[in-house]
Amino acid sequence: MTAVAPPRPAAPVRRNRPALMGRAPQDTPAGAGTYLLLAVTMLFAVFPLYWMFVIATSNDEALAKLPPAVVPGDRFMTNVEEVFSLQDVFFAASMVNSVIVSVVVTASVLFFCSLAGFAFAKLRFAGRNALMLFVVLTLTVPNQLGIVALYIVMGKLGWNGTLLAVIAPGLVTAFGVFYMRQFIVNSVPDELVESARVDGASTMRVYWNIVLPAIRPALAVLGLLTFVATWNDFQWPLITLSGSDYPTSMVAISDLASGNYVIYRRVLAGAFIATVPLLIMLFIGGRQIVRGIMEGAVKS
Amino acid sequence: MSTTRAAPASGRGAAPGRGGSGAAERRLSWRNRLYRFDMRYMPYLLIAPFFLLFILFGLFPLIFNGVVALRNYRLDDPTLPYWAGVENFTRLFGDEDFWNALYNTFGIFLLSSVPQLLLALIVASLLNRKLRLQTWWRVGMLLPYVTPIVASSMVFSVFFSRDFGMANWALGLFGYGSPEAPIDWRADKTHSWIAIATMVNWKWIGYNALLYLAAMQSIPRDVYEASAIDGAGPWRQLWRITVPMIQPIIVFTVVLSTIGGLQLFTEPMLFDPNAQTATGGPNGEWQTIAQLIYKVGWKDLNLGYAAAMSWALFLIILVVAGINTLLTNRLSGGRR
């Protein structure tokens, strides 16, 4: 922006209204008002999570307080122990199940989608464009549409009520292929692939030695997004796992909340435990998640 | 895959012992064939796992769903005739539950998508400044996005309880409602819709704000330089320059929130203290289509009818997404 030198002399008059200077908003330093509004927004974003913790650490009376309780209590461990010891909820097992499902699905999505994305981005084969169009079209199909038939299919396979029924439909995603293709097209130079070919490298060697190292950032982004989505999935796990001995943590939480008399400090203690892994992920990989979402936006 | 890769290595290992030009030739042709296989068929092997898994667990159920919709598929009564023809579809037209759920779904959808996208736009323009700790503001906006909907819906269910609920308490501070006659958020359509829409808005505002922010930052800077001439303030700048410039992404978010909003399931399910009945309130005040599909399929055990309902929902989503795209194109000022 320093290149726009000529209008400078007039600047002092306009100094207090930076937007009028023709500066792009992202070059305009935020004022106190912006920070204040952002802080309020952040408060709204954080408060339900914070309050979940408050109730998870309190006794039953905390819920019936006016003005509402906003200071955490000291009963977190008691509540957690109660949640874990409930016989018919299988909470501890459900956390393990959620880890298994999310890890397997994420690993599979990363591997298979990067393979297919690589093929669509850098290899030549008959029908490539038509097949890619097919992938893009399936992106827009709402996933709920096939849920009844999926249940019947899983019934025929005998998988309903087992983790397989939750894992299998998540193993690949059209979005993953699409995202990987975009990234590989832009980040792996054709010349690099060509020269490796000349040196006699096989397709898999190119994938392993050239493509994989180049797409590590994209793997991180897709992995985080897939993990979060799989961990949080509720409708399909509820349908197929309901009443079984292998709930995921989301199904287990909804079990905690069913019945005539719901004890919310337990429900929210369970909910809090199941949220913590994701908060840790956001804390560690937040930068990647933000970048992934924003890059996806510009490209699409 | 591993066998084809191992082959040339073993070939090479065997060659020196044998010597002779015949072996060398054979080795070459082996390599040649391997190379040709690699070039011609390897791409298909790479995309095969995706297509196999997708066809098996994605595409096939989708098509099979159409067959199920034409059948009498009752888990509790297998004696009915196999085919039902279009009966499941014609039944939809006279089904009061279906129309009620459709009405609820649209009501909640309007209350969630419109404020959601407008607020996201404002948050994005707040983020679109030179900020200290820029990354942390952005990451913070994603807190609701990573929070499980199951967990946040539980929290909001407590917020919106009639007695001792935080929503009623906060509204009371502004002189709305009273402790003697607290708002019963689960007693009528309007209030339950607002409560559920609040959950949806909370979850998605930050995510959409980041999408908008990305688009805002790719607007060429000279557009803003030109706008200084007619003295546009920040607010006018947002509506006159920024919004028309990021129109494609706005359309994209409208389509996304249409697809997601019309399939709303978790929030209305868990807003109900008797979640497992899936009735969305004592008289279906907030039962959405997705919830009704679940109830018909897995509580009433009529999978054929649930499949027909899924198709109806799909058609509705298609039509509404189309209409919304046209509307958004008009409203956000793109005349290209």
Side-chain angles (χ1 to χ4, degrees), chain B residues 195-206:
Chain B
I196 291 165
T198 306
M199 304 181 198
V200 181
N201 288 327
W202 181 78
K203 168 106 179 166
W204 293 106
I205 286 172

Side-chain angles (χ1 to χ4, degrees), chain B residues 158-303:
Chain B
V158 183
F159 276 172
F160 287 107
S161 48
R162 190 190 61 187
D163 308 311
F164 307 110
M166 199 175 298
N168 279 344
W169 174 77
L171 286 173
L173 292 184
F174 295 100
Y176 188 84
S178 68
E180 292 80 46
I183 300 167
D184 189 345
W185 294 92
R186 289 170 177 82
D188 61 65
K189 283 191 186 296
T190 318
H191 286 102
S192 56
W193 290 0
I194 291 174
I196 291 165
T198 306
M199 304 181 198
V200 181
N201 288 327
W202 181 78
K203 168 106 179 166
W204 293 106
I205 286 172
Y207 175 82
N208 285 304
L210 285 188
L211 294 182
Y212 291 155
L213 176 65
M216 284 177 182
Q217 300 207 326
S218 62
I219 299 174
R221 288 180 156 83
D222 50 8
V223 175
Y224 290 103
E225 278 157 28
S227 80
I229 299 161
D230 42 26
W235 187 250
R236 267 178 61 132
Q237 204 180 39
L238 173 65
W239 293 106
R240 289 292 168 80
I241 304 170
T242 310
V243 169
M245 290 295 286
I246 64 167
Q247 193 221 11
I249 193 75
I250 294 182
V251 172
F252 175 71
T253 55
V254 167
V255 172
L256 269 192
S257 67
T258 307
I259 294 174
L262 296 181
Q263 299 186 82
L264 205 63
F265 177 78
T266 308
E267 291 92 338
M269 274 294 277
L270 298 178
F271 185 60
D272 197 330
N274 288 315
Q276 273 304 314
T277 60
T279 52
N283 299 305
E285 282 85 354
W286 65 86
Q287 186 184 49
T288 60
I289 301 256
Q291 241 184 317
L292 182 60
I293 290 174
Y294 175 73
K295 179 179 171 287
V296 167
W298 287 277
K299 298 294 155 188
D300 307 344
L301 304 176
N302 191 346
L303 289 178

Side-chain angles (χ1 to χ4, degrees), chain A residues 27 35 44 126 144-145 203, chain B residues 38 44 65 132 202 221 263:
Chain A
D27 301 320
Y35 280 112
F44 275 105
Q144 259 184 30
L145 177 58
T203 306
Chain B
D38 193 57
Y44 296 105
N65 202 51
R132 282 164 202 278
W202 181 78
R221 288 180 156 83
Q263 299 186 82

Side-chain angles (χ1 to χ4, degrees), chain A residues 2-259:
Chain A
T2 47
V4 202
R8 268 290 148 81
V13 195
R14 295 170 174 175
R15 189 182 284 153
N16 54 344
R17 301 177 69 183
L20 294 189
M21 287 173 64
R23 247 195 309 202
Q26 61 264 44
D27 301 320
T28 312
T34 306
Y35 280 112
L36 184 71
L37 288 173
L38 279 176
V40 172
T41 312
M42 201 62 92
L43 187 72
F44 275 105
V46 172
F47 188 73
L49 285 168
Y50 173 72
W51 201 69
M52 177 159 66
F53 181 68
V54 170
I55 297 305
T57 56
S58 303
N59 52 23
D60 288 320
E61 274 101 75
L63 269 179
K65 260 192 202 157
L66 284 180
V70 286
V71 181
D74 53 2
R75 287 176 45 100
F76 185 59
M77 287 324 288
T78 324
N79 291 337
V80 168
E81 271 165 35
E82 280 182 40
V83 170
F84 276 105
S85 59
L86 286 173
Q87 288 301 315
D88 45 353
V89 174
F90 307 105
F91 195 79
S94 83
M95 288 294 288
V96 176
N97 291 341
S98 276
V99 170
I100 294 172
V101 169
S102 305
V103 168
V104 172
V105 165
T106 303
S108 159
V109 164
L110 289 184
F111 183 60
F112 290 133
C113 292
S114 66
L115 275 184
F118 164 52
F120 280 122
K122 294 291 163 186
L123 304 180
R124 259 174 254 152
F125 53 94
R128 184 175 81 165
N129 292 341
L131 289 170
M132 191 61 213
L133 182 69
F134 174 81
V135 173
V136 172
L137 283 181
T138 56
L139 273 176
T140 56
V141 178
N143 46 9
Q144 259 184 30
L145 177 58
I147 216 162
V148 173
L150 188 63
Y151 182 78
I152 295 173
V153 171
M154 291 299 173
K156 297 264 190 266
L157 292 170
W159 290 359
N160 276 322
T162 73
L163 292 187
L164 273 176
V166 184
I167 291 173
L171 288 175
V172 292
T173 61
F175 171 77
V177 175
F178 178 74
Y179 183 77
M180 280 298 158
R181 193 200 92 103
Q182 295 301 91
F183 195 90
I184 294 170
V185 163
N186 293 319
S187 68
V188 181
D190 283 335
E191 300 81 49
L192 204 58
V193 178
E194 288 307 317
S195 69
R197 286 289 200 194
V198 172
D199 292 345
S202 66
T203 306
M204 279 312 282
R205 188 151 286 279
V206 172
Y207 169 77
W208 197 255
N209 288 356
I210 296 176
V211 175
L212 267 191
I215 62 171
R216 254 186 237 152
L219 290 175
V221 170
L222 183 63
L224 287 166
L225 293 179
T226 306
F227 190 95
V228 170
T230 311
W231 184 275
N232 291 348
D233 196 15
F234 179 61
Q235 188 180 16
W236 174 241
L238 175 73
I239 288 172
T240 184
L241 299 181
S242 181
S244 83
D245 293 355
Y246 307 97
T248 59
S249 58
M250 295 303 128
V251 177
I253 294 169
S254 77
D255 283 344
L256 278 175
S258 67

